[in-house]
Amino acid sequence: MIIKIKRDASLEAVQRVLDFIKQEGFDLKDVSSDRVKIFGVIGDTSKLEARDFYAFEAVAEVIRIQSPYKKASREFQSNDTLIDLGDGVVIGGDQHVLMIGPCSVENEAQMMQVGAFLQRHNLKILRGGAFKPRTSPYAFQGMGEEGLKLMRRVADRYGLKVISEVPSVSAIALFEKYVDIIQVGARNMQNFHLLKALGQSRKPIFLKRGLSATIEEWLMSAEYIMHGGNDQVILCERGIRTFETYTRNTLDISAVLAVRELSHLPVIVDPSHASGRYKMIDPLAQAALAVGAHGQMIEIHPEPEKALSDGAQSLTLERFERLLEHLKPLADVLGKRLT
Amino acid sequence: MIIKIKRDASLEAVQRVLDFIKQEGFDLKDVSSDRVKIFGVIGDTSKLEARDFYAFEAVAEVIRIQSPYKKASREFQSNDTLIDLGDGVVIGGDQHVLMIGPCSVENEAQMMQVGAFLQRHNLKILRGGAFKPRTSPYAFQGMGEEGLKLMRRVADRYGLKVISEVPSVSAIALFEKYVDIIQVGARNMQNFHLLKALGQSRKPIFLKRGLSATIEEWLMSAEYIMHGGNDQVILCERGIRTFETYTRNTLDISAVLAVRELSHLPVIVDPSHASGRYKMIDPLAQAALAVGAHGQMIEIHPEPEKALSDGAQSLTLERFERLLEHLKPLADVLGKRLT
Amino acid sequence: MIIKIKRDASLEAVQRVLDFIKQEGFDLKDVSSDRVKIFGVIGDTSKLEARDFYAFEAVAEVIRIQSPYKKASREFQSNDTLIDLGDGVVIGGDQHVLMIGPCSVENEAQMMQVGAFLQRHNLKILRGGAFKPRTSPYAFQGMGEEGLKLMRRVADRYGLKVISEVPSVSAIALFEKYVDIIQVGARNMQNFHLLKALGQSRKPIFLKRGLSATIEEWLMSAEYIMHGGNDQVILCERGIRTFETYTRNTLDISAVLAVRELSHLPVIVDPSHASGRYKMIDPLAQAALAVGAHGQMIEIHPEPEKALSDGAQSLTLERFERLLEHLKPLADVLGKRLT
Amino acid sequence: MIIKIKRDASLEAVQRVLDFIKQEGFDLKDVSSDRVKIFGVIGDTSKLEARDFYAFEAVAEVIRIQSPYKKASREFQSNDTLIDLGDGVVIGGDQHVLMIGPCSVENEAQMMQVGAFLQRHNLKILRGGAFKPRTSPYAFQGMGEEGLKLMRRVADRYGLKVISEVPSVSAIALFEKYVDIIQVGARNMQNFHLLKALGQSRKPIFLKRGLSATIEEWLMSAEYIMHGGNDQVILCERGIRTFETYTRNTLDISAVLAVRELSHLPVIVDPSHASGRYKMIDPLAQAALAVGAHGQMIEIHPEPEKALSDGAQSLTLERFERLLEHLKPLADVLGKRLT
C-alpha cells in the first residue's frame, strides 16, 4: 500500500499516520522525492481498507498494490480449481460444460420434456428457477420448494445435475437437499450475510457477477465464501449494465480473461441474461467458447411465447439444437469437450 | 404499452401476439402508419413485463407508457406521505430532519458522547451501524445485537430515535425491538426476499438507492415493501456509481427532484456515503437542503482517525457544529425547520 | 412517435401540442385509455427531436418508435453494404479483413519491416497513426504528414491498402492523397463538423464508436456522413467505458450483432484498444471472429517495449503469427476467408 | 509512479524496465516486501504515460501518484484564477456570474427581447448558439456567422458580454471577432486539435466537461489549452451520462468541489443541460449556488414551445425571474454577489 502525504500537512499530522501504521504491525519505506512525500506500507495489507486512511488529515492519496482477496487469487493458488460434480462432470478443466434449462420451473410436463432433451443430447446439467427474483412484486415469483423437488425428480430420471438460485439464507438447507450447485443471483452478489452462510455449505456455489460490479468486487465476494471454508466457487459472467439499451445487459467477454489471469476459479458465461435476445445467443455462445470460458448457462423453453418469465431470451429446443451444431466443430478446433 | 411489429412478420405471428394480449384481458388500438405496424395495449399494464413480449417473433419493440409501480406513484397518491416518528418528529413535510451518528457503533463511551452531542444540538435521530456490510471478510463486521441494545439505551437517555441497517430477514425481529426506523442498505435494494419481509413490518423503512439503480428500479423496490402492506417508506439517495473515482460515489442531486415528481414518498440525502470525503460533506449538505430534500443522514465520529469504519467520511463533532451553523440560515431562507 | 399527456394538463395546453403536430404535417391517432391520454404521431418522424416536445407543458412523455437514422438503417437498405477497396479486398462480405500495423508510425525501418511482414502473411491492410490524439499534451503527437507519406510508400511497395486516423477537417485533403480508408477516432465520433466534411469525401470512412456512445448515437454519426453523400461507412467497435479498470475499455461484443441487425454497414472489432492488454488480444480476436465481425484492427510492433505509444497493447510479430495460426482453423469452420 | 513487478518475471525482463526508467532520467527506489517486488519512480513523471509500461513483460501494475496535469493543478498555482471580462465582471472570485440566453440564436426579435431582459435584471453575460452541434443531421444547425453578428449587436446595445460555442478550428478567427468567451462543447472536450488551436487564442475558453469524462481527463483538456499559452480557462459541469434516463444527464454537483480542490480554475454549473427539464432548473440552480460554483449557465426563451432547439430545458422569462428571486436571498446568506 502506498500513502501519499498532502503538501501542506503538518509534521504532527504525518506522524499520526506513521504511528498508526507501525502500531498495526506494518513496516514503512520512504519513497519521497523532493516534490512529494510518499510512504510504502510493507506487510500483509489485505486486512486494511485503503479508504480508511483518508480519515487522517495528512493523507492525500492511498493506493492499494496487493489485491484485497487472497484465497480467490492466482497468487495464492496457481493451479486451476477443478470442481468435480461426479459422473465425469468436471468444471474448470478442458470440458466446456453446458447448463441448460428454462428460466422458471413451470410444471412437470415442461421439465420432463427438457430433461429428456438434455439426455438425448448427452448434456449433464439442468438449470431452472424455483424462487424467482423479479423486479416487480406483481410478476410470477416461482414454484418454490415444489419446483426444486420437480427438478430433482427430473434430474434423477435423466441422469442430470441440478443448479438453481437460492433466494436467502433460510432456504439454504432446502437447496442442499435438492440441488447439486447453489446459484447466487447477480442482485445478491454483495448480500454478505448470504455469502457468509454459503461459506458453511459443502455444495459448489455458482456466483453471478453483479450488474455493475468490478472484477475485484466479484472476487471479493468469492473470497467471502472461501473465507467461510467453501473452496468450490464457480464464477459466472452474465452481462453488466452499460448505457446500451438494445441488449438487456452487455456481455463483458474480456472478464473471462481477466478472471482467468487473476484467479484460479472457473468462469462460466451466461449469454441469455447478457443479451436478453434469443437471436444473439447462438453467436455469443460461439464467442464465449472461443474466448476460453469453462462453460455456459443457456435458457431454453419448449414454447418461449408461453414462458412465465424470460421467454424473450429463451431458445426453442430446435434453435438450441442448431446452436449445438455450431459449437461442436468449434470445440474440436479449440480442443474443448462439450459436456 | 406500445407494441411495434417487425416489418417482415408473418400475419400468423402477428395474430399470436394480438390473441395473447386479448386473452390477458387488454384492449388493443391500432396506431399503424403505412411504414410501420404499431398497437397500443389498453388497460392496467403494470402487471405485464414489457420484455416478455420479445419472446414473440413478430415483436420488434415494446414500450411501456405507464410506470410499473402503483402505490409508490404520485399518480396513486397525490399528497406527500408524512412519516410521524412521535415526539414531534415528522419526515416528509417542512422539517429537514438530520440523522446523525457514527458509521459503526463501537463502544459505550463513543455512543454516549454522540448521544449527548445530539441532545445538546436539539437533534432527534441517532444513526449507527451494528451489522456492517463490508466488502472484505477481513474487515470489522460490527457489534451485532450488543450494538443495537447500546443504541437503544443511548437514545432513551437522550430522547432520540434510532435508525440502523438490517442485514437479513432473520434479524428483522431484533430490529423491531430496538430501532425506530429500519434501514435497507444500498447493496440490498434488490434483495426482494428482504423487501417482502419488511412489507410485513410496522416500522418505517429507510430504503437506500442501489449503486447503479435507476429511479424506476428504486421505486419498484419501494413498491415491494408497500405491496406487502407497509406504506411507511423513506427513500435515501446516497450516491451512485459513475466513472469518477475522486469521490467514493457521485451524489445524484437531481434524483431528489425526480423522486418528488414521480412519488409521494419522502427523500433523504446521505452526503457522507455519496462523497466519501469529509471535506465535501458541508457544501453538499447545503446543496441538499437547497434542492429540497426532506433531510439528511450524516456520519460523525469523535475521533475519525480511530474509527473502525468510514473514518474518511466522518465529521468530527467540531466540524459538524460548523456545518450546522451553515445550514441554519439557509433553512431560514428556504422555509425549512432543522430537526 | 408516442406522446403521453400529463394528467392535470389543461385542454388548452393539450390543444397547443396537437396544433403543433398537425402544423408540422403529421397525422394524429388517439390511443388513450380511461387512465391516460396518449397520442400517436404518424408520418416520417425522423426529423423530429423527441426531447423538444417536453417544452410543451402538457407533455408527460415522448417515446420515439422509428429510429432517427434512415440511410444507415437496415429498413432503408436490406442488403449488406460491400466496400470494395480494389485488388480483391472487400469489406462487408465473407472476407474477414485484418487491418494490421503499429499504433504510431515511428520511422522507415519500423514501417518497412511491418510492410514486409504483412506481405509475407498475405495481409492487405496496413494501419498506423500519423496524427495521434493523446490525452496528454506532453506525449508524442505523431509524425504528421511525413508519417502518411511513409505509410503510402510502404503500402505501394508491399501491395497494401492504408488506413489512418484523420485529426481534423483541415487535414482531409492530405488524407485523401495518401490513404485508402479515413479513420474517425472514438473521441471524434460526435465531432459533427468533421462528419459533415467527410460526407463530401469519396474515400471509405472508418467510424470508431465513442467511449460511452450508444449504438443509436453511433449509427446517427454514420448517418451524418451518409447524409452528406458518402455511403461507404465502416463501423468499428473498439471497447466502451465501463466501471472495470483492469482492461483499458470493455469490448462490447454484442454490439457487432446489434449493428448487423439494425444496419447494413460492415462492422470491425479492435481488440487492441478494447482490452489495452496484449495478452488478451489473441482470445478476443478469436471471439470477434466467432461472433461474426467483418474484420479486425490489431496493433503490432516489432519491439513493443520501445514503442512511442500503446506498446502495452501491441503484439510482437511472433505473437501475431501465433494469433494468425489460431484464427485460420476457426475461419475455416466458420466459412470466412481471412484477408 | 509506482511499478509492481510480476511474481514470475525473469531478472532480465526486470532489468529492461529498470534500464528504461534510468535512461529516461528518473531515479528509482526499491519498496519491495518479501511478497512483492515494487519500485518507485522518482522525478517529474507527468510526461510519462503510465499505461506504456505495460508493454514490458515484467510489469504487473503501474500506478500514477502525481497528477498528469501541471498548469491546471492547484499544486502549480495555489491562488484561484480570476478571469476579468472588463466592466467589473470577474469570474472565479466572490461573484456568482449568470450566463443567460436561448439555446439557439433564432432571430433579431428574440435576441433583442432577451438582451433587454438581461439589462433590466442587471445581468452581464449573454449566451446563445450560432453553430449547433446536433446529434441528427436533419435538425436545425444554427444561424452561423449571422447569429454571431446578431449576438454582438445585441450585447453592445445592452452592455453585455457574449459567450458562444465554437464548432471547429476554422471558425476560431470568426469567434475572436464577435464573442468575449469561446465555448468548447462537451462533445469536443477531447478534440485535441481544437484545444491546441485555442491555446493560441487570447480569449477566455469555457470548457464543458465531456459526457463521460473523469475529472482528471477534464483537467487534462484544460492543460492542453494552457500548455498552448492561454491561461484563461473556465470549467463547466453540465451533467454526466449515467444509467438514469429521467433526466437528460446527471448533474455531478460534487465535481464542483473536486475541481476546486484539485485546480485553481473557476467552475460554472449548467443546470439546463444537466437536467434537460425546465422544472428542475430552479432548485438545481439553488443547489449549485449553495455548493460553491462560481456561476451558472441557464437557458431561457421567450416562447419555449416554439424554440428551434432545447425548448424542453428553457425557462420562460417569467420562470427565470422567479428563479432570480430564489437565488438572491441565498446569495446574501452565502456571501456571494449575483452578476
Side-chain angles (χ1 to χ4, degrees):
Chain A
M1 194 169 274
I2 300 291
I3 301 204
K4 181 182 170 188
I5 300 295
K6 281 184 195 154
R7 300 215 307 167
D8 53 359
S10 70
L11 280 179
E12 192 225 325
V14 176
Q15 199 54 49
R16 284 207 304 276
V17 182
L18 305 185
D19 288 350
F20 173 81
I21 291 167
K22 285 179 204 152
Q23 184 188 309
E24 295 284 310
F26 296 95
D27 282 335
L28 277 167
K29 278 205 190 171
D30 189 332
V31 212
S32 308
S33 66
D34 16 315
R35 292 154 165 263
V36 56
K37 216 169 202 44
I38 295 174
F39 295 97
V41 183
I42 317 291
D44 175 12
T45 55
S46 62
K47 61 179 176 165
L48 293 176
E49 280 240 16
R51 234 166 28 72
D52 284 351
F53 283 92
Y54 290 107
F56 289 90
E57 276 195 60
V59 171
E61 207 173 344
V62 186
I63 297 152
R64 181 180 277 291
I65 290 178
Q66 267 185 292
S67 65
Y69 45 87
K70 286 197 258 188
K71 296 191 168 172
S73 167
R74 175 124 6 228
E75 295 188 12
F76 183 83
Q77 177 190 318
S78 57
N79 292 336
D80 283 356
T81 284
L82 297 178
I83 291 172
D84 190 338
L85 299 174
D87 301 323
V89 184
V90 180
I91 302 177
D94 66 346
Q95 292 181 25
H96 188 79
V97 296
L98 298 176
M99 305 173 173
I100 309 298
C103 176
S104 296
V105 178
E106 295 173 4
N107 57 62
E108 178 148 4
Q110 169 215 34
M111 292 308 290
M112 286 295 173
Q113 186 178 356
V114 167
F117 179 82
L118 263 63
Q119 191 189 46
R120 191 158 68 246
H121 288 287
N122 206 22
L123 299 170
K124 298 297 186 194
I125 306 181
L126 176 67
R127 65 142 285 147
F131 297 82
K132 298 302 300 172
R134 304 300 294 268
T135 47
S136 169
Y138 308 109
F140 175 60
Q141 309 277 322
M143 284 179 73
E145 184 171 358
E146 284 314 303
L148 292 183
K149 281 187 191 164
L150 175 51
M151 283 187 88
R152 184 74 268 158
R153 216 156 59 234
V154 169
D156 289 346
R157 178 150 167 194
Y158 295 106
L160 306 172
K161 307 294 172 189
V162 165
I163 176 170
S164 194
E165 179 175 343
V166 71
S168 64
V169 172
S170 55
I172 293 177
L174 202 65
F175 274 67
E176 291 187 319
K177 206 161 135 197
Y178 297 117
V179 312
D180 301 289
I181 305 175
I182 300 178
Q183 177 175 325
V184 177
R187 286 174 180 75
N188 272 330
M189 190 200 86
Q190 291 195 319
N191 182 339
F192 302 115
H193 189 69
L194 180 61
L195 300 178
K196 276 182 214 173
L198 291 170
Q200 311 297 321
S201 177
R202 293 285 73 82
K203 296 280 184 182
I205 308 301
F206 188 83
L207 180 66
K208 288 203 156 187
R209 181 181 181 185
L211 275 76
S212 63
T214 61
I215 289 168
E216 184 175 296
E217 288 169 335
W218 190 17
L219 291 175
M220 279 306 282
S221 290
E223 186 81 7
Y224 252 99
I225 299 166
M226 299 174 86
H227 179 65
N230 187 348
D231 287 339
Q232 301 192 78
V233 179
I234 305 159
L235 300 165
C236 176
E237 160 62 34
R238 43 75 73 203
I240 53 172
R241 178 164 281 185
T242 68
F243 302 134
E244 187 51 55
T245 55
Y246 187 73
T247 43
R248 186 181 186 184
N249 297 290
T250 296
L251 179 59
D252 178 4
I253 202 137
S254 49
V256 173
L257 301 169
V259 161
R260 296 197 63 172
E261 279 176 31
L262 295 168
S263 178
H264 49 84
L265 297 171
V267 56
I268 302 291
V269 165
D270 174 347
S272 304
H273 281 86
S275 65
R277 292 180 166 260
Y278 66 82
K279 280 202 176 169
M280 289 188 176
I281 294 172
D282 187 344
L284 289 179
Q286 295 181 51
L289 173 58
V291 92
H294 292 102
Q296 308 203 42
M297 172 171 271
I298 295 175
E299 291 183 4
I300 62 171
H301 196 285
E303 293 179 284
E305 295 186 355
K306 293 187 181 156
L308 296 181
S309 64
D310 279 354
Q313 66 194 42
S314 296
L315 294 178
T316 59
L317 307 191
E318 296 71 34
R319 283 204 181 94
F320 180 76
E321 282 174 330
R322 247 173 289 150
L323 159 57
L324 263 186
E325 290 316 306
H326 293 148
L327 289 187
K328 278 175 190 167
L330 278 182
D332 286 345
V333 164
L334 296 160
K336 288 281 198 165
R337 281 191 296 130
L338 291 186
T339 306
Chain B
M1 195 169 274
I2 301 291
I3 300 201
K4 179 181 170 187
I5 299 295
K6 281 184 194 154
R7 300 216 306 168
D8 54 359
S10 70
L11 279 180
E12 191 224 326
V14 176
Q15 199 54 50
R16 285 207 305 275
V17 182
L18 305 185
D19 288 349
F20 173 81
I21 291 168
K22 284 181 203 149
Q23 182 188 311
E24 295 284 308
F26 296 94
D27 281 336
L28 278 167
K29 278 206 187 171
D30 189 331
V31 213
S32 307
S33 66
D34 17 315
R35 291 154 166 264
V36 56
K37 216 168 203 45
I38 295 173
F39 295 97
V41 182
I42 317 290
D44 175 13
T45 55
S46 62
K47 61 178 175 165
L48 294 175
E49 281 239 17
R51 235 166 28 73
D52 284 351
F53 283 92
Y54 290 108
F56 289 90
E57 278 196 57
V59 171
E61 207 173 345
V62 186
I63 298 152
R64 179 180 279 289
I65 289 178
Q66 268 185 292
S67 65
Y69 46 88
K70 286 198 257 188
K71 295 190 169 172
S73 167
R74 177 119 14 224
E75 296 187 12
F76 183 82
Q77 178 190 318
S78 56
N79 293 335
D80 283 357
T81 284
L82 296 178
I83 291 172
D84 191 338
L85 298 175
D87 302 322
V89 184
V90 180
I91 302 176
D94 65 347
Q95 292 179 27
H96 189 78
V97 297
L98 298 176
M99 304 173 173
I100 309 298
C103 177
S104 296
V105 179
E106 295 172 6
N107 57 62
E108 178 146 4
Q110 169 215 35
M111 292 308 290
M112 285 295 171
Q113 186 179 356
V114 168
F117 179 81
L118 263 64
Q119 191 189 46
R120 192 159 67 246
H121 288 288
N122 207 24
L123 298 171
K124 299 298 186 193
I125 306 181
L126 176 67
R127 66 142 285 147
F131 297 82
K132 298 302 302 173
R134 303 301 294 270
T135 45
S136 168
Y138 307 109
F140 175 61
Q141 309 276 322
M143 284 179 71
E145 183 170 358
E146 285 314 301
L148 291 183
K149 281 187 191 162
L150 175 52
M151 283 188 87
R152 183 74 267 158
R153 215 155 62 232
V154 170
D156 288 347
R157 177 147 165 196
Y158 294 106
L160 306 171
K161 308 293 173 190
V162 166
I163 176 170
S164 195
E165 178 175 344
V166 72
S168 64
V169 172
S170 56
I172 293 177
L174 202 66
F175 274 67
E176 290 186 318
K177 205 160 136 198
Y178 296 117
V179 312
D180 302 290
I181 306 175
I182 300 177
Q183 176 175 327
V184 177
R187 287 175 179 75
N188 272 329
M189 192 200 86
Q190 291 195 317
N191 181 339
F192 301 116
H193 189 69
L194 181 61
L195 300 178
K196 276 182 213 172
L198 291 170
Q200 311 297 320
S201 178
R202 293 284 73 81
K203 296 280 182 182
I205 308 302
F206 187 82
L207 180 65
K208 287 204 156 188
R209 181 181 182 185
L211 276 76
S212 64
T214 62
I215 290 168
E216 185 175 296
E217 289 169 334
W218 190 16
L219 292 174
M220 279 307 281
S221 290
E223 186 82 7
Y224 252 98
I225 298 166
M226 301 173 85
H227 179 63
N230 186 349
D231 286 340
Q232 301 191 79
V233 179
I234 304 160
L235 300 165
C236 176
E237 160 62 33
R238 42 76 73 203
I240 53 172
R241 179 164 282 185
T242 68
F243 302 133
E244 187 51 55
T245 55
Y246 186 73
T247 44
R248 185 179 185 185
N249 297 289
T250 297
L251 179 59
D252 178 3
I253 201 137
S254 50
V256 173
L257 301 168
V259 160
R260 296 197 63 173
E261 281 176 28
L262 295 168
S263 177
H264 49 84
L265 297 171
V267 57
I268 303 290
V269 165
D270 175 347
S272 304
H273 281 87
S275 65
R277 290 179 168 261
Y278 66 82
K279 280 203 176 168
M280 290 189 176
I281 294 172
D282 188 344
L284 289 179
Q286 296 181 52
L289 174 58
V291 92
H294 292 103
Q296 307 202 41
M297 172 171 271
I298 295 175
E299 291 184 2
I300 62 172
H301 196 284
E303 293 179 284
E305 295 186 354
K306 294 187 183 157
L308 296 181
S309 63
D310 278 356
Q313 66 194 41
S314 296
L315 294 178
T316 59
L317 307 190
E318 297 70 36
R319 284 205 181 93
F320 181 75
E321 282 175 330
R322 247 174 288 150
L323 159 57
L324 262 186
E325 289 316 305
H326 292 148
L327 289 186
K328 278 176 191 167
L330 277 182
D332 287 345
V333 163
L334 296 161
K336 288 280 197 165
R337 281 190 298 132
L338 290 186
T339 305
Chain C
M1 193 170 275
I2 300 290
I3 299 202
K4 181 182 170 188
I5 299 296
K6 281 184 194 153
R7 300 215 307 167
D8 53 359
S10 70
L11 279 180
E12 192 224 325
V14 176
Q15 198 54 49
R16 283 207 305 276
V17 183
L18 305 186
D19 288 350
F20 173 82
I21 291 168
K22 284 181 204 151
Q23 184 187 310
E24 295 284 309
F26 296 95
D27 283 336
L28 278 166
K29 278 205 189 172
D30 189 333
V31 213
S32 307
S33 67
D34 19 314
R35 291 154 165 263
V36 56
K37 214 167 203 47
I38 295 174
F39 295 97
V41 182
I42 317 290
D44 175 12
T45 55
S46 63
K47 62 178 175 165
L48 294 176
E49 280 239 17
R51 233 166 29 73
D52 284 351
F53 282 92
Y54 289 108
F56 289 90
E57 277 195 58
V59 171
E61 208 174 344
V62 187
I63 297 151
R64 181 180 279 290
I65 289 178
Q66 268 185 292
S67 65
Y69 45 87
K70 286 197 258 188
K71 295 191 169 173
S73 167
R74 188 156 307 265
E75 295 188 12
F76 183 83
Q77 176 189 320
S78 55
N79 293 335
D80 283 357
T81 284
L82 296 179
I83 291 173
D84 191 337
L85 298 174
D87 301 322
V89 184
V90 180
I91 302 177
D94 66 347
Q95 292 179 26
H96 189 78
V97 295
L98 298 176
M99 303 174 174
I100 309 298
C103 177
S104 296
V105 178
E106 295 172 5
N107 57 61
E108 178 147 4
Q110 169 215 35
M111 293 307 292
M112 286 296 172
Q113 186 178 356
V114 168
F117 179 81
L118 263 65
Q119 191 189 47
R120 190 160 69 247
H121 288 288
N122 206 23
L123 299 171
K124 298 298 186 193
I125 306 182
L126 175 69
R127 67 141 284 147
F131 297 82
K132 298 302 301 172
R134 303 300 294 270
T135 46
S136 168
Y138 308 109
F140 175 60
Q141 308 277 322
M143 283 179 72
E145 183 170 358
E146 285 314 301
L148 292 184
K149 280 187 192 166
L150 174 53
M151 284 188 86
R152 184 74 268 159
R153 217 156 60 234
V154 170
D156 289 346
R157 179 150 163 192
Y158 295 106
L160 305 171
K161 307 294 172 188
V162 166
I163 176 170
S164 194
E165 179 176 344
V166 71
S168 64
V169 171
S170 56
I172 293 177
L174 202 65
F175 274 67
E176 291 187 319
K177 207 159 135 196
Y178 297 116
V179 312
D180 300 291
I181 306 176
I182 299 177
Q183 177 176 324
V184 177
R187 287 174 179 77
N188 271 330
M189 191 200 86
Q190 291 196 317
N191 181 340
F192 302 116
H193 189 69
L194 180 61
L195 300 178
K196 275 183 213 173
L198 291 170
Q200 310 297 319
S201 177
R202 294 284 72 82
K203 295 280 182 182
I205 309 301
F206 188 82
L207 181 65
K208 287 204 155 186
R209 182 181 181 186
L211 275 76
S212 65
T214 62
I215 290 168
E216 184 175 296
E217 289 169 334
W218 189 18
L219 291 175
M220 278 307 281
S221 289
E223 186 81 9
Y224 252 97
I225 299 166
M226 300 174 86
H227 178 65
N230 187 347
D231 286 340
Q232 301 192 77
V233 179
I234 304 160
L235 300 165
C236 176
E237 160 62 32
R238 43 76 72 203
I240 53 172
R241 179 165 281 185
T242 68
F243 302 134
E244 187 51 54
T245 54
Y246 187 73
T247 43
R248 185 180 186 184
N249 297 289
T250 296
L251 179 60
D252 178 3
I253 201 137
S254 49
V256 173
L257 301 168
V259 161
R260 295 197 63 172
E261 280 176 31
L262 295 167
S263 178
H264 50 84
L265 297 171
V267 57
I268 302 291
V269 165
D270 174 348
S272 305
H273 282 87
S275 64
R277 290 181 167 261
Y278 66 81
K279 280 202 177 169
M280 290 191 176
I281 294 172
D282 187 345
L284 289 179
Q286 296 181 52
L289 173 59
V291 92
H294 292 102
Q296 308 202 42
M297 172 172 271
I298 295 175
E299 291 183 3
I300 62 172
H301 195 287
E303 292 178 284
E305 294 186 356
K306 295 187 182 157
L308 297 181
S309 64
D310 279 355
Q313 65 194 42
S314 296
L315 294 178
T316 58
L317 306 191
E318 296 70 36
R319 283 205 179 93
F320 180 76
E321 282 175 330
R322 247 174 288 149
L323 159 57
L324 262 187
E325 290 316 305
H326 293 148
L327 289 186
K328 277 175 189 166
L330 278 182
D332 286 346
V333 163
L334 296 160
K336 288 279 199 165
R337 281 190 297 132
L338 291 186
T339 307
Chain D
M1 194 169 274
I2 300 291
I3 300 202
K4 181 181 170 188
I5 300 295
K6 281 185 194 153
R7 301 217 306 170
D8 53 358
S10 69
L11 279 180
E12 190 225 327
V14 175
Q15 198 54 49
R16 284 207 305 275
V17 182
L18 305 186
D19 288 349
F20 173 81
I21 291 168
K22 284 181 204 151
Q23 183 187 311
E24 295 284 309
F26 296 95
D27 281 337
L28 278 167
K29 278 205 187 171
D30 189 332
V31 214
S32 307
S33 66
D34 19 314
R35 292 154 165 264
V36 57
K37 215 170 202 44
I38 295 174
F39 296 97
V41 182
I42 316 290
D44 174 13
T45 55
S46 62
K47 61 178 177 166
L48 294 176
E49 281 239 17
R51 235 167 26 73
D52 284 352
F53 283 91
Y54 290 107
F56 289 90
E57 277 196 58
V59 171
E61 207 173 344
V62 186
I63 297 152
R64 179 181 279 290
I65 290 179
Q66 266 185 292
S67 65
Y69 46 87
K70 286 197 259 187
K71 296 190 168 173
S73 166
R74 191 161 299 269
E75 295 188 11
F76 183 81
Q77 177 189 319
S78 57
N79 292 334
D80 283 357
T81 285
L82 297 178
I83 291 172
D84 190 338
L85 298 174
D87 302 322
V89 184
V90 180
I91 302 177
D94 66 346
Q95 293 180 26
H96 189 78
V97 296
L98 298 176
M99 304 173 173
I100 309 299
C103 178
S104 296
V105 178
E106 294 173 4
N107 57 61
E108 177 147 5
Q110 169 215 35
M111 292 308 290
M112 285 295 173
Q113 188 179 355
V114 168
F117 180 81
L118 262 64
Q119 190 188 48
R120 192 159 66 245
H121 288 288
N122 207 23
L123 299 171
K124 297 299 186 192
I125 306 181
L126 176 67
R127 66 141 286 146
F131 296 82
K132 299 301 303 172
R134 304 299 295 270
T135 45
S136 168
Y138 307 109
F140 175 61
Q141 308 277 322
M143 283 180 71
E145 184 171 357
E146 285 314 301
L148 291 184
K149 280 187 191 164
L150 175 51
M151 283 188 89
R152 184 74 266 160
R153 217 156 60 233
V154 170
D156 288 347
R157 178 150 165 193
Y158 295 106
L160 305 172
K161 307 293 172 190
V162 166
I163 177 171
S164 195
E165 179 177 344
V166 71
S168 63
V169 172
S170 56
I172 293 177
L174 202 66
F175 274 67
E176 291 187 318
K177 204 161 137 197
Y178 296 117
V179 312
D180 302 290
I181 305 174
I182 300 177
Q183 176 176 325
V184 177
R187 287 174 178 76
N188 271 330
M189 192 200 85
Q190 292 195 317
N191 181 339
F192 302 115
H193 189 69
L194 180 61
L195 300 178
K196 275 183 214 173
L198 292 170
Q200 310 297 320
S201 178
R202 293 284 71 83
K203 296 280 183 183
I205 308 301
F206 187 83
L207 181 65
K208 288 203 155 187
R209 181 181 181 186
L211 275 77
S212 65
T214 62
I215 289 168
E216 183 174 297
E217 289 169 334
W218 191 15
L219 291 175
M220 278 307 281
S221 290
E223 186 82 7
Y224 253 98
I225 299 166
M226 300 173 86
H227 179 64
N230 187 348
D231 287 339
Q232 302 192 78
V233 178
I234 304 159
L235 299 165
C236 176
E237 160 61 34
R238 44 74 74 202
I240 51 172
R241 179 164 282 186
T242 68
F243 302 134
E244 186 52 54
T245 55
Y246 186 73
T247 44
R248 186 180 185 185
N249 296 290
T250 296
L251 179 60
D252 178 2
I253 202 137
S254 50
V256 173
L257 301 168
V259 161
R260 294 197 64 172
E261 281 176 29
L262 296 168
S263 178
H264 49 83
L265 298 171
V267 57
I268 303 290
V269 165
D270 174 347
S272 305
H273 281 86
S275 64
R277 291 180 167 261
Y278 67 82
K279 280 202 177 169
M280 291 190 175
I281 294 172
D282 188 344
L284 289 180
Q286 295 181 53
L289 173 58
V291 92
H294 292 103
Q296 307 202 42
M297 173 172 269
I298 295 175
E299 290 184 3
I300 62 172
H301 196 286
E303 294 178 284
E305 295 186 354
K306 294 186 181 157
L308 297 181
S309 64
D310 279 355
Q313 66 194 41
S314 296
L315 294 178
T316 59
L317 306 192
E318 296 69 35
R319 283 203 181 95
F320 181 75
E321 282 175 330
R322 246 174 288 150
L323 159 56
L324 262 187
E325 289 317 306
H326 293 148
L327 289 186
K328 278 176 189 166
L330 278 182
D332 286 345
V333 163
L334 297 161
K336 288 279 198 165
R337 282 190 298 131
L338 290 186
T339 305

